Coordinates of all heavy atoms in Angstrom, one line a residue:
Y27 N -81.5 -6.8 -27.5 CA -80.3 -5.9 -27.5 C -79.8 -5.5 -28.9 O -79.6 -4.3 -29.1 CB -79.2 -6.6 -26.7 CG -77.9 -5.8 -26.7 CD1 -77.8 -4.6 -25.9 CD2 -76.9 -6.2 -27.6 CE1 -76.6 -3.9 -26.0 CE2 -75.8 -5.3 -27.7 CZ -75.6 -4.2 -26.9 OH -74.5 -3.5 -27.0
P28 N -79.5 -6.5 -29.8 CA -79.0 -6.1 -31.1 C -79.9 -5.3 -31.9 O -79.5 -4.4 -32.6 CB -78.5 -7.4 -31.7 CG -79.4 -8.5 -31.1 CD -79.6 -8.0 -29.6
I29 N -81.3 -5.7 -31.7 CA -82.2 -4.8 -32.5 C -82.3 -3.3 -32.0 O -82.2 -2.4 -32.9 CB -83.7 -5.4 -32.4 CG1 -83.7 -6.8 -33.2 CG2 -84.7 -4.5 -33.0 CD1 -85.0 -7.5 -33.1
N30 N -82.2 -3.2 -30.7 CA -82.3 -1.8 -30.2 C -80.9 -1.2 -30.5 O -80.9 0.1 -30.9 CB -82.4 -1.9 -28.6 CG -83.8 -2.1 -28.1 OD1 -84.8 -2.0 -29.0 ND2 -84.0 -2.5 -27.0
R31 N -79.9 -1.8 -30.4 CA -78.5 -1.2 -30.7 C -78.4 -0.8 -32.2 O -78.0 0.4 -32.4 CB -77.4 -2.3 -30.4 CG -76.0 -1.9 -30.9 CD -75.5 -0.6 -30.1 NE -74.2 -0.1 -30.6 CZ -74.0 0.7 -31.6 NH1 -75.1 1.1 -32.3 NH2 -72.8 1.0 -32.0
F32 N -78.8 -1.6 -33.1 CA -78.7 -1.2 -34.5 C -79.8 -0.3 -35.0 O -79.7 0.4 -35.9 CB -78.5 -2.4 -35.4 CG -77.2 -3.1 -35.1 CD1 -77.1 -4.3 -34.6 CD2 -76.0 -2.4 -35.5 CE1 -75.8 -5.0 -34.3 CE2 -74.8 -3.0 -35.3 CZ -74.7 -4.3 -34.8
A33 N -81.1 -0.4 -34.3 CA -82.1 0.6 -34.6 C -81.7 2.0 -34.3 O -81.9 2.9 -35.0 CB -83.3 0.2 -34.0
M34 N -81.1 2.0 -33.1 CA -80.5 3.4 -32.7 C -79.5 3.9 -33.7 O -79.5 5.1 -34.1 CB -79.8 3.2 -31.3 CG -79.2 4.6 -30.8 SD -78.6 4.4 -29.2 CE -77.4 3.1 -29.3
E35 N -78.6 3.1 -34.2 CA -77.6 3.5 -35.2 C -78.3 3.8 -36.6 O -77.9 4.9 -37.2 CB -76.5 2.5 -35.3 CG -75.5 2.8 -36.4 CD -74.7 4.1 -36.2 OE1 -74.8 4.6 -35.1 OE2 -74.0 4.5 -37.1
A36 N -79.2 3.0 -36.9 CA -79.9 3.4 -38.2 C -80.6 4.7 -38.2 O -80.5 5.5 -39.1 CB -80.9 2.3 -38.6
K37 N -81.2 4.9 -37.0 CA -82.0 6.3 -36.9 C -81.0 7.4 -36.7 O -81.2 8.5 -37.3 CB -82.8 6.2 -35.7 CG -84.1 5.4 -35.9 CD -85.1 5.4 -34.7 CE -85.8 6.7 -34.6 NZ -86.7 7.0 -35.7
R38 N -79.9 7.2 -36.2 CA -78.7 8.2 -36.1 C -78.3 8.6 -37.5 O -78.1 9.7 -37.9 CB -77.6 7.8 -35.2 CG -76.6 8.9 -35.0 CD -75.3 8.3 -34.4 NE -74.6 7.5 -35.4 CZ -73.7 8.1 -36.4 NH1 -73.6 9.4 -36.4 NH2 -73.2 7.4 -37.2
Q39 N -78.1 7.6 -38.3 CA -77.7 7.7 -39.7 C -78.7 8.5 -40.5 O -78.4 9.4 -41.3 CB -77.4 6.4 -40.4 CG -76.1 5.8 -39.8 CD -75.9 4.3 -40.3 OE1 -76.6 3.9 -41.2 NE2 -74.8 3.7 -39.9
L40 N -80.0 8.2 -40.4 CA -81.1 8.9 -41.0 C -81.0 10.4 -40.6 O -81.3 11.3 -41.4 CB -82.4 8.2 -40.7 CG -82.7 7.0 -41.4 CD1 -83.9 6.3 -40.8 CD2 -82.8 7.1 -43.0
D41 N -80.7 10.6 -39.3 CA -80.7 12.0 -38.9 C -79.5 12.7 -39.4 O -79.6 13.9 -39.8 CB -80.7 12.0 -37.3 CG -80.9 13.4 -36.8 OD1 -81.8 14.1 -37.2 OD2 -80.2 13.8 -35.8
V42 N -78.4 12.1 -39.6 CA -77.3 12.7 -40.3 C -77.7 13.1 -41.7 O -77.4 14.3 -42.1 CB -76.0 11.7 -40.4 CG1 -75.0 12.2 -41.3 CG2 -75.4 11.4 -39.0
L43 N -78.3 12.2 -42.4 CA -78.7 12.6 -43.8 C -79.7 13.7 -43.8 O -79.7 14.6 -44.5 CB -79.3 11.4 -44.5 CG -78.3 10.2 -44.9 CD1 -79.1 9.0 -45.4 CD2 -77.3 10.7 -45.8
D44 N -80.7 13.6 -42.9 CA -81.7 14.7 -42.8 C -81.2 16.0 -42.6 O -81.6 17.0 -43.1 CB -82.8 14.3 -41.7 CG -84.2 14.9 -42.0 OD1 -84.8 14.6 -43.0 OD2 -84.6 15.7 -41.1
R45 N -80.2 16.1 -41.6 CA -79.6 17.3 -41.4 C -78.8 18.0 -42.6 O -78.8 19.1 -42.9 CB -78.7 17.3 -40.1 CG -79.5 17.1 -38.8 CD -78.6 16.7 -37.7 NE -79.3 16.3 -36.5 CZ -79.6 17.2 -35.5 NH1 -79.1 18.4 -35.5 NH2 -80.2 16.8 -34.4
A46 N -78.1 17.0 -43.2 CA -77.3 17.4 -44.4 C -78.2 17.9 -45.6 O -77.8 18.8 -46.2 CB -76.4 16.2 -44.9
L47 N -79.3 17.3 -45.7 CA -80.2 17.6 -46.9 C -81.1 18.8 -46.5 O -81.9 19.2 -47.3 CB -81.0 16.4 -47.2 CG -80.2 15.3 -47.9 CD1 -81.0 14.0 -47.9 CD2 -79.8 15.7 -49.4
A48 N -81.0 19.5 -45.4 CA -81.8 20.5 -45.0 C -81.6 21.8 -45.8 O -82.4 22.6 -46.0 CB -81.7 20.8 -43.5
D49 N -80.3 21.9 -46.2 CA -79.9 23.2 -47.0 C -79.3 22.9 -48.4 O -78.6 23.7 -48.9 CB -79.0 24.0 -46.1 CG -77.7 23.3 -45.8 OD1 -77.6 22.1 -46.1 OD2 -76.8 23.9 -45.2
R50 N -79.5 21.7 -48.8 CA -79.0 21.4 -50.2 C -80.0 20.3 -50.9 O -80.6 19.6 -50.2 CB -77.6 20.9 -50.2 CG -77.5 19.5 -49.4 CD -76.0 19.1 -49.2 NE -75.4 19.9 -48.2 CZ -74.1 19.6 -47.7 NH1 -73.4 18.6 -48.3 NH2 -73.6 20.3 -46.7
R51 N -80.0 20.4 -52.2 CA -80.9 19.5 -53.0 C -80.3 18.1 -52.9 O -81.1 17.1 -52.7 CB -80.9 20.0 -54.4 CG -81.8 19.2 -55.3 CD -81.9 19.7 -56.7 NE -82.7 19.0 -57.6 CZ -82.7 19.1 -58.9 NH1 -82.0 20.1 -59.4 NH2 -83.5 18.3 -59.6
F52 N -79.0 17.9 -53.1 CA -78.4 16.6 -53.1 C -77.2 16.6 -52.1 O -76.9 17.6 -51.5 CB -77.9 16.2 -54.5 CG -78.9 16.1 -55.5 CD1 -79.1 17.0 -56.6 CD2 -79.8 15.0 -55.5 CE1 -80.1 17.0 -57.5 CE2 -80.9 15.0 -56.4 CZ -81.0 16.0 -57.4
L53 N -76.6 15.4 -51.9 CA -75.7 15.3 -50.8 C -74.4 16.2 -51.0 O -73.9 16.7 -50.0 CB -75.2 13.8 -50.7 CG -76.0 13.0 -49.6 CD1 -76.2 13.7 -48.3 CD2 -77.5 12.7 -50.1
A54 N -73.9 16.3 -52.2 CA -72.7 17.1 -52.5 C -73.0 18.6 -52.8 O -72.1 19.3 -53.2 CB -71.8 16.5 -53.5
G55 N -74.3 18.9 -52.9 CA -74.7 20.3 -53.4 C -75.9 20.2 -54.2 O -76.9 19.5 -53.9
E56 N -75.8 20.9 -55.3 CA -77.0 21.0 -56.2 C -77.0 20.0 -57.3 O -78.0 20.0 -58.1 CB -77.1 22.5 -56.8 CG -77.4 23.6 -55.7 CD -78.6 23.2 -54.9 OE1 -79.7 23.0 -55.5 OE2 -78.6 23.1 -53.7

């Protein structure tokens, strides 16, 4: 249960970053 719960959250966070970095070089811009 805890491995599944936190694996899901870790992957959600990676997806947040992946979407943000799709149109910019760094997190706050260029």
Side-chain angles (χ1 to χ4, degrees):
Y27 174 79
I29 290 175
N30 284 346
R31 170 66 182 86
F32 290 113
M34 177 173 62
E35 176 60 12
K37 288 183 69 66
R38 188 194 71 82
Q39 292 174 1
L40 285 168
D41 193 42
V42 169
L43 292 174
D44 204 59
R45 291 168 186 263
L47 290 164
D49 60 357
R50 63 185 76 172
R51 182 180 177 188
F52 297 110
L53 268 307
E56 293 306 302

